[in-house]
Amino acid sequence: MDLREALATSLANLAGHKLRSALSMLGVVFGVGAVIAMLSIGAGAERQALEMIERLGVRNVLLRAKTFEREEAAEEVRQKSPGLSLRDCEAILDAVPGVELVAPKVEIDPFLVLAGAEKGRARLYGVAARHDELVNLRIAEGRFLDQRDVLDHAQVAVIGAEVRRSLFGHQPALGADIKVDDVWLTVVGVLAGGDGEAASFEGVSLQSSAAAVYVPVTTALSKFERDRLASPLQEIVVRLEPGMQGAASTVVAGTIDRLVSQLHGGADDYELVVPEALLEQSRRTQRLFNLVMGSIASISLLVGGIGITNIMLASVLERTREIGVRRAVGARRSDILGQFLVESFAISALGGLAGIAVGLGIARGIAAAAGWPTVVTAWSILLATGVAMVAGLVSGIYPAKRAADLDPIESLRYE
């Protein structure tokens, strides 16, 4: 019997016992589906992590001002430290080796923005020139802020796509004037849509740029009122020189931390964020998640393998007389062995194909219901189905060997 004939015979036998065959496949179906779904969630989480790190900047080190719920606590801290300030930026740039660029950022609560008869809500950010390079903002129209804008305290602004849409619609925005609080600003640039959606990564919140208005940091500090107890800057972005990654970035981050702590009199009024370290932490968490989910999926495949072994043993018992007839007319032990191995492989293969559909359905269901990103890769499908087929073959070895070892004379007498 050749392979094609063995496969046809196996499929015919499975079709003759549809319910039993389907039940024996369930373990493989759920095992393959679980593996594909698990790996799709992991791949989606990794892609999201990489996108977040790209926004934070893999070569960046972030200093973020802490907020205090009680006014008394803020008063006590401000007696020691004024908070993050432009002085910190100058000190870091002058004293810390390996630093390429230091950019301050002021964040002000949402304002009512007016443009003619139209109005909308936006969050105001005071930033330095080249801030767009640090956080990967893309310009759709005009330009971003430059160093001249910062030095001149210029009343210019770069607006997000949502702000542009709500204030100007299809009308031109470049060169138009908008009013934020009591300050008039001229629009010099518009950000591309979809840049920097609001998100959170490893406890670090990232605001959306779509509903943002960016002005020079000097303009934000001098022309807009802010809480007297608030830190002058909400964030300082420090970009390291090329090659300063891994252990080197950790050393530089430690140096920055010690310097700023001294400047603030030891006050605990800021936090240090190293995106590269966050990425490694995310990967460790993901590896643990994959290990746990992989173990669960392996149990499902083990159960599926036991089910295949069970049905194949039952099949050997039912077809004992058939085996005796085949041996009597010249079939070799290897022919019998191959026939039952092909049959067990067919069960696992069909279960694997059904498991692919289940896995795709679970991945899409999770993405739709929970809003989690999922990415189904060809590698995950090949891995899941490959393991299932190997499990099917291994599970069929004992029943196939038992069938091949049957005595032909005793088999012919079996009723």
Side-chain angles (χ1 to χ4, degrees):
M1 180 179 291
D2 60 18
L3 181 60
R4 183 180 302 178
E5 184 181 355
L7 184 59
T9 303
S10 299
L11 294 176
N13 185 60
L14 294 177
H17 303 84
K18 294 183 177 63
L19 180 60
R20 189 176 69 180
S21 301
L23 291 175
S24 67
M25 292 178 191
L26 283 181
V28 176
V29 171
F30 292 127
V32 170
V35 170
I36 292 175
M38 176 269 296
L39 292 177
S40 70
I41 294 172
E46 183 176 2
R47 176 178 293 184
Q48 186 181 44
L50 292 174
E51 290 175 355
M52 294 300 102
I53 291 300
E54 184 179 356
R55 286 178 59 184
L56 290 172
V58 70
R59 283 198 289 131
N60 292 348
V61 174
L62 311 180
L63 290 165
R64 293 193 163 188
K66 290 185 176 180
T67 57
F68 302 93
E69 295 182 358
R70 295 185 302 109
E71 185 174 337
E72 295 80 5
E75 288 276 8
E76 182 180 348
V77 169
R78 289 295 167 255
Q79 291 177 5
K80 296 181 181 180
S81 165
L84 295 178
S85 64
L86 295 177
R87 180 188 67 166
D88 297 328
C89 297
E90 295 172 358
I92 293 171
L93 190 59
D94 292 339
V96 180
V99 172
E100 178 182 352
L101 180 65
V102 179
K105 180 181 177 182
V106 181
E107 182 177 336
I108 304 179
D109 290 334
F111 274 102
L112 183 64
V113 183
L114 303 175
E118 302 298 330
K119 60 182 179 181
R121 285 280 176 183
R123 184 175 292 273
L124 185 73
Y125 296 101
V127 297
R130 300 176 67 185
H131 178 81
D132 57 326
E133 300 176 24
L134 294 175
V135 295
N136 298 297
L137 297 178
R138 294 181 295 115
I139 294 292
E141 303 175 51
R143 64 174 178 85
F144 199 74
L145 307 173
D146 58 28
Q147 191 62 29
R148 176 58 62 183
D149 296 327
V150 176
L151 294 175
D152 292 345
H153 297 62
Q155 293 183 205
V156 294
V158 175
I159 61 176
E162 186 177 317
V163 178
R164 189 216 186 286
R165 186 165 51 251
S166 62
L167 295 182
F168 301 102
H170 297 291
Q171 301 299 317
L174 291 183
D177 292 328
I178 61 175
K179 187 179 182 182
V180 181
D181 199 6
D182 292 325
V183 180
W184 285 96
L185 304 167
T186 301
V187 177
V188 296
V190 178
L191 296 177
D195 276 348
E197 299 303 320
S200 179
F201 175 65
E202 296 291 336
V204 179
S205 297
L206 300 172
Q207 297 295 334
S208 170
S209 62
V213 174
Y214 293 90
V215 300
V217 61
T218 50
T219 304
L221 291 173
S222 61
K223 298 184 183 295
F224 292 91
E225 294 184 2
R226 304 178 64 249
D227 185 350
R228 66 181 183 83
L229 295 177
S231 174
L233 303 177
Q234 269 60 57
E235 184 176 279
I236 297 176
V237 183
V238 181
R239 185 164 72 181
L240 307 182
E241 294 176 350
M244 301 296 290
Q245 295 179 354
S249 67
T250 303
V251 172
V252 175
T255 304
I256 294 173
D257 192 17
R258 291 190 293 271
L259 173 62
V260 176
S261 180
Q262 292 177 1
L263 293 173
H264 289 212
D268 185 22
D269 61 346
Y270 70 93
E271 61 179 349
L272 189 72
V273 178
V274 183
E276 188 177 14
L278 291 181
L279 179 60
E280 183 56 35
Q281 179 180 340
S282 174
R283 285 174 173 167
R284 286 197 298 269
T285 303
Q286 191 58 49
R287 284 194 292 268
L288 178 61
F289 171 81
N290 288 341
L291 179 62
V292 173
M293 292 300 294
S295 300
I296 296 174
S298 298
I299 293 173
S300 298
L301 288 174
L302 176 62
V303 172
I306 294 173
I308 293 174
T309 301
N310 184 52
I311 192 176
M312 293 307 299
L313 286 172
S315 181
V316 169
L317 187 62
E318 289 178 353
R319 296 161 64 185
T320 300
R321 187 173 180 81
E322 174 194 332
I323 294 171
V325 172
R326 292 184 59 192
R327 290 296 304 278
V329 297
R332 296 167 298 178
R333 293 178 68 254
S334 59
D335 295 328
I336 305 299
L337 182 70
Q339 174 62 47
F340 281 89
L341 283 177
V342 168
E343 192 164 319
S344 65
F345 177 81
I347 294 174
S348 61
L350 292 174
L353 293 176
I356 293 174
V358 170
L360 294 175
I362 293 175
R364 291 186 178 180
I366 290 174
W372 293 346
T374 57
V375 179
V376 178
T377 62
W379 177 82
S380 65
I381 294 176
L382 291 175
L383 175 65
T385 52
V387 171
M389 291 176 184
V390 170
L393 282 174
V394 172
S395 301
I397 289 176
Y398 174 71
K401 187 175 184 304
R402 184 170 177 177
D405 290 341
L406 288 176
D407 182 80
I409 304 300
E410 295 297 327
S411 299
L412 287 171
R413 293 175 179 174
Y414 183 81
E415 294 294 338

PDB file of all heavy atoms in Angstrom, residues 228-250:
ATOM      1  N   ARG A 228       1.287  77.879  41.065  1.00  0.00           N
ATOM      2  CA  ARG A 228       2.562  78.324  41.644  1.00  0.00           C
ATOM      3  C   ARG A 228       3.346  77.166  42.268  1.00  0.00           C
ATOM      4  O   ARG A 228       4.576  77.253  42.406  1.00  0.00           O
ATOM      5  CB  ARG A 228       2.300  79.395  42.710  1.00  0.00           C
ATOM      6  CG  ARG A 228       1.545  78.891  43.921  1.00  0.00           C
ATOM      7  CD  ARG A 228       1.282  79.987  44.950  1.00  0.00           C
ATOM      8  NE  ARG A 228       0.617  79.469  46.130  1.00  0.00           N
ATOM      9  CZ  ARG A 228       1.253  78.891  47.142  1.00  0.00           C
ATOM     10  NH1 ARG A 228       2.575  78.787  47.116  1.00  0.00           N
ATOM     11  NH2 ARG A 228       0.581  78.445  48.179  1.00  0.00           N
ATOM     12  N   LEU A 229       2.659  76.108  42.672  1.00  0.00           N
ATOM     13  CA  LEU A 229       3.348  74.969  43.278  1.00  0.00           C
ATOM     14  C   LEU A 229       3.765  73.913  42.255  1.00  0.00           C
ATOM     15  O   LEU A 229       4.428  72.947  42.602  1.00  0.00           O
ATOM     16  CB  LEU A 229       2.450  74.308  44.336  1.00  0.00           C
ATOM     17  CG  LEU A 229       2.125  75.164  45.563  1.00  0.00           C
ATOM     18  CD1 LEU A 229       1.181  74.429  46.490  1.00  0.00           C
ATOM     19  CD2 LEU A 229       3.405  75.556  46.306  1.00  0.00           C
ATOM     20  N   ALA A 230       3.361  74.112  41.022  1.00  0.00           N
ATOM     21  CA  ALA A 230       3.706  73.138  39.984  1.00  0.00           C
ATOM     22  C   ALA A 230       5.162  73.290  39.572  1.00  0.00           C
ATOM     23  O   ALA A 230       5.746  74.373  39.663  1.00  0.00           O
ATOM     24  CB  ALA A 230       2.802  73.318  38.776  1.00  0.00           C
ATOM     25  N   SER A 231       5.743  72.204  39.119  1.00  0.00           N
ATOM     26  CA  SER A 231       7.106  72.254  38.596  1.00  0.00           C
ATOM     27  C   SER A 231       7.123  73.103  37.327  1.00  0.00           C
ATOM     28  O   SER A 231       6.205  73.010  36.509  1.00  0.00           O
ATOM     29  CB  SER A 231       7.583  70.835  38.288  1.00  0.00           C
ATOM     30  OG  SER A 231       8.840  70.854  37.646  1.00  0.00           O
ATOM     31  N   PRO A 232       8.139  73.987  37.156  1.00  0.00           N
ATOM     32  CA  PRO A 232       8.204  74.800  35.930  1.00  0.00           C
ATOM     33  C   PRO A 232       8.140  73.956  34.663  1.00  0.00           C
ATOM     34  O   PRO A 232       7.498  74.336  33.680  1.00  0.00           O
ATOM     35  CB  PRO A 232       9.560  75.507  36.057  1.00  0.00           C
ATOM     36  CG  PRO A 232       9.822  75.560  37.530  1.00  0.00           C
ATOM     37  CD  PRO A 232       9.236  74.295  38.082  1.00  0.00           C
ATOM     38  N   LEU A 233       8.815  72.798  34.660  1.00  0.00           N
ATOM     39  CA  LEU A 233       8.784  71.877  33.528  1.00  0.00           C
ATOM     40  C   LEU A 233       8.149  70.563  33.976  1.00  0.00           C
ATOM     41  O   LEU A 233       8.373  70.113  35.097  1.00  0.00           O
ATOM     42  CB  LEU A 233      10.192  71.595  33.005  1.00  0.00           C
ATOM     43  CG  LEU A 233      11.036  72.797  32.559  1.00  0.00           C
ATOM     44  CD1 LEU A 233      12.430  72.321  32.150  1.00  0.00           C
ATOM     45  CD2 LEU A 233      10.374  73.545  31.429  1.00  0.00           C
ATOM     46  N   GLN A 234       7.354  69.982  33.108  1.00  0.00           N
ATOM     47  CA  GLN A 234       6.785  68.671  33.420  1.00  0.00           C
ATOM     48  C   GLN A 234       7.695  67.532  32.968  1.00  0.00           C
ATOM     49  O   GLN A 234       7.611  66.427  33.479  1.00  0.00           O
ATOM     50  CB  GLN A 234       5.411  68.515  32.749  1.00  0.00           C
ATOM     51  CG  GLN A 234       4.243  68.956  33.610  1.00  0.00           C
ATOM     52  CD  GLN A 234       4.365  70.426  33.980  1.00  0.00           C
ATOM     53  OE1 GLN A 234       4.451  71.280  33.115  1.00  0.00           O
ATOM     54  NE2 GLN A 234       4.379  70.713  35.256  1.00  0.00           N
ATOM     55  N   GLU A 235       8.564  67.830  32.020  1.00  0.00           N
ATOM     56  CA  GLU A 235       9.401  66.764  31.481  1.00  0.00           C
ATOM     57  C   GLU A 235      10.662  67.339  30.854  1.00  0.00           C
ATOM     58  O   GLU A 235      10.641  68.429  30.276  1.00  0.00           O
ATOM     59  CB  GLU A 235       8.606  65.973  30.437  1.00  0.00           C
ATOM     60  CG  GLU A 235       9.322  64.764  29.853  1.00  0.00           C
ATOM     61  CD  GLU A 235       8.419  63.995  28.897  1.00  0.00           C
ATOM     62  OE1 GLU A 235       7.588  63.209  29.387  1.00  0.00           O
ATOM     63  OE2 GLU A 235       8.525  64.211  27.679  1.00  0.00           O
ATOM     64  N   ILE A 236      11.746  66.608  31.010  1.00  0.00           N
ATOM     65  CA  ILE A 236      12.995  66.917  30.317  1.00  0.00           C
ATOM     66  C   ILE A 236      13.393  65.664  29.543  1.00  0.00           C
ATOM     67  O   ILE A 236      13.521  64.577  30.124  1.00  0.00           O
ATOM     68  CB  ILE A 236      14.114  67.316  31.286  1.00  0.00           C
ATOM     69  CG1 ILE A 236      13.758  68.603  32.031  1.00  0.00           C
ATOM     70  CG2 ILE A 236      15.426  67.505  30.526  1.00  0.00           C
ATOM     71  CD1 ILE A 236      14.777  68.999  33.088  1.00  0.00           C
ATOM     72  N   VAL A 237      13.551  65.814  28.237  1.00  0.00           N
ATOM     73  CA  VAL A 237      13.953  64.692  27.397  1.00  0.00           C
ATOM     74  C   VAL A 237      15.445  64.824  27.105  1.00  0.00           C
ATOM     75  O   VAL A 237      15.885  65.845  26.581  1.00  0.00           O
ATOM     76  CB  VAL A 237      13.161  64.664  26.077  1.00  0.00           C
ATOM     77  CG1 VAL A 237      13.560  63.438  25.251  1.00  0.00           C
ATOM     78  CG2 VAL A 237      11.660  64.652  26.349  1.00  0.00           C
ATOM     79  N   VAL A 238      16.197  63.803  27.464  1.00  0.00           N
ATOM     80  CA  VAL A 238      17.644  63.793  27.241  1.00  0.00           C
ATOM     81  C   VAL A 238      17.955  62.717  26.202  1.00  0.00           C
ATOM     82  O   VAL A 238      17.688  61.537  26.426  1.00  0.00           O
ATOM     83  CB  VAL A 238      18.408  63.491  28.545  1.00  0.00           C
ATOM     84  CG1 VAL A 238      19.915  63.512  28.292  1.00  0.00           C
ATOM     85  CG2 VAL A 238      18.033  64.485  29.631  1.00  0.00           C
ATOM     86  N   ARG A 239      18.478  63.135  25.069  1.00  0.00           N
ATOM     87  CA  ARG A 239      18.862  62.146  24.048  1.00  0.00           C
ATOM     88  C   ARG A 239      20.349  61.886  24.146  1.00  0.00           C
ATOM     89  O   ARG A 239      21.166  62.814  24.132  1.00  0.00           O
ATOM     90  CB  ARG A 239      18.504  62.622  22.649  1.00  0.00           C
ATOM     91  CG  ARG A 239      18.800  61.542  21.604  1.00  0.00           C
ATOM     92  CD  ARG A 239      18.114  61.803  20.289  1.00  0.00           C
ATOM     93  NE  ARG A 239      18.722  62.913  19.563  1.00  0.00           N
ATOM     94  CZ  ARG A 239      18.281  63.352  18.379  1.00  0.00           C
ATOM     95  NH1 ARG A 239      17.232  62.780  17.822  1.00  0.00           N
ATOM     96  NH2 ARG A 239      18.877  64.364  17.781  1.00  0.00           N
ATOM     97  N   LEU A 240      20.696  60.607  24.200  1.00  0.00           N
ATOM     98  CA  LEU A 240      22.086  60.207  24.317  1.00  0.00           C
ATOM     99  C   LEU A 240      22.741  60.119  22.945  1.00  0.00           C
ATOM    100  O   LEU A 240      22.060  60.008  21.930  1.00  0.00           O
ATOM    101  CB  LEU A 240      22.187  58.854  25.030  1.00  0.00           C
ATOM    102  CG  LEU A 240      21.463  58.751  26.378  1.00  0.00           C
ATOM    103  CD1 LEU A 240      21.696  57.365  26.990  1.00  0.00           C
ATOM    104  CD2 LEU A 240      21.904  59.834  27.335  1.00  0.00           C
ATOM    105  N   GLU A 241      24.049  60.152  22.936  1.00  0.00           N
ATOM    106  CA  GLU A 241      24.791  60.059  21.685  1.00  0.00           C
ATOM    107  C   GLU A 241      24.640  58.657  21.089  1.00  0.00           C
ATOM    108  O   GLU A 241      24.364  57.698  21.816  1.00  0.00           O
ATOM    109  CB  GLU A 241      26.275  60.371  21.940  1.00  0.00           C
ATOM    110  CG  GLU A 241      26.528  61.812  22.377  1.00  0.00           C
ATOM    111  CD  GLU A 241      27.989  62.053  22.718  1.00  0.00           C
ATOM    112  OE1 GLU A 241      28.737  61.043  22.800  1.00  0.00           O
ATOM    113  OE2 GLU A 241      28.375  63.217  22.920  1.00  0.00           O
ATOM    114  N   PRO A 242      24.812  58.520  19.765  1.00  0.00           N
ATOM    115  CA  PRO A 242      24.740  57.190  19.142  1.00  0.00           C
ATOM    116  C   PRO A 242      25.715  56.219  19.795  1.00  0.00           C
ATOM    117  O   PRO A 242      26.853  56.571  20.098  1.00  0.00           O
ATOM    118  CB  PRO A 242      25.105  57.458  17.683  1.00  0.00           C
ATOM    119  CG  PRO A 242      24.752  58.898  17.469  1.00  0.00           C
ATOM    120  CD  PRO A 242      25.034  59.594  18.775  1.00  0.00           C
ATOM    121  N   GLY A 243      25.257  54.999  20.010  1.00  0.00           N
ATOM    122  CA  GLY A 243      26.101  53.994  20.644  1.00  0.00           C
ATOM    123  C   GLY A 243      25.945  53.922  22.149  1.00  0.00           C
ATOM    124  O   GLY A 243      26.389  52.950  22.773  1.00  0.00           O
ATOM    125  N   MET A 244      25.276  54.914  22.739  1.00  0.00           N
ATOM    126  CA  MET A 244      25.077  54.916  24.189  1.00  0.00           C
ATOM    127  C   MET A 244      23.810  54.143  24.517  1.00  0.00           C
ATOM    128  O   MET A 244      22.768  54.711  24.834  1.00  0.00           O
ATOM    129  CB  MET A 244      24.990  56.351  24.710  1.00  0.00           C
ATOM    130  CG  MET A 244      26.208  57.198  24.434  1.00  0.00           C
ATOM    131  SD  MET A 244      27.673  56.579  25.291  1.00  0.00           S
ATOM    132  CE  MET A 244      27.256  56.946  26.975  1.00  0.00           C
ATOM    133  N   GLN A 245      23.905  52.818  24.423  1.00  0.00           N
ATOM    134  CA  GLN A 245      22.763  51.960  24.700  1.00  0.00           C
ATOM    135  C   GLN A 245      23.196  50.826  25.613  1.00  0.00           C
ATOM    136  O   GLN A 245      24.377  50.624  25.863  1.00  0.00           O
ATOM    137  CB  GLN A 245      22.173  51.412  23.396  1.00  0.00           C
ATOM    138  CG  GLN A 245      21.579  52.495  22.517  1.00  0.00           C
ATOM    139  CD  GLN A 245      21.024  51.938  21.216  1.00  0.00           C
ATOM    140  OE1 GLN A 245      21.179  50.772  20.908  1.00  0.00           O
ATOM    141  NE2 GLN A 245      20.372  52.785  20.436  1.00  0.00           N
ATOM    142  N   GLY A 246      22.222  50.089  26.113  1.00  0.00           N
ATOM    143  CA  GLY A 246      22.529  48.981  27.000  1.00  0.00           C
ATOM    144  C   GLY A 246      23.088  49.477  28.315  1.00  0.00           C
ATOM    145  O   GLY A 246      22.536  50.361  28.968  1.00  0.00           O
ATOM    146  N   ALA A 247      24.227  48.903  28.726  1.00  0.00           N
ATOM    147  CA  ALA A 247      24.844  49.266  30.001  1.00  0.00           C
ATOM    148  C   ALA A 247      25.272  50.723  30.014  1.00  0.00           C
ATOM    149  O   ALA A 247      25.207  51.402  31.051  1.00  0.00           O
ATOM    150  CB  ALA A 247      26.050  48.354  30.266  1.00  0.00           C
ATOM    151  N   ALA A 248      25.704  51.234  28.851  1.00  0.00           N
ATOM    152  CA  ALA A 248      26.147  52.627  28.785  1.00  0.00           C
ATOM    153  C   ALA A 248      25.007  53.591  29.106  1.00  0.00           C
ATOM    154  O   ALA A 248      25.184  54.583  29.815  1.00  0.00           O
ATOM    155  CB  ALA A 248      26.721  52.933  27.403  1.00  0.00           C
ATOM    156  N   SER A 249      23.807  53.320  28.587  1.00  0.00           N
ATOM    157  CA  SER A 249      22.664  54.189  28.858  1.00  0.00           C
ATOM    158  C   SER A 249      22.292  54.152  30.336  1.00  0.00           C
ATOM    159  O   SER A 249      21.881  55.161  30.917  1.00  0.00           O
ATOM    160  CB  SER A 249      21.464  53.774  28.010  1.00  0.00           C
ATOM    161  OG  SER A 249      20.978  52.498  28.391  1.00  0.00           O
ATOM    162  N   THR A 250      22.451  52.988  30.969  1.00  0.00           N
ATOM    163  CA  THR A 250      22.160  52.877  32.405  1.00  0.00           C
ATOM    164  C   THR A 250      23.133  53.718  33.217  1.00  0.00           C
ATOM    165  O   THR A 250      22.736  54.381  34.186  1.00  0.00           O
ATOM    166  CB  THR A 250      22.249  51.404  32.839  1.00  0.00           C
ATOM    167  OG1 THR A 250      21.349  50.613  32.050  1.00  0.00           O
ATOM    168  CG2 THR A 250      21.888  51.256  34.303  1.00  0.00           C
TER     169      THR A 250
END
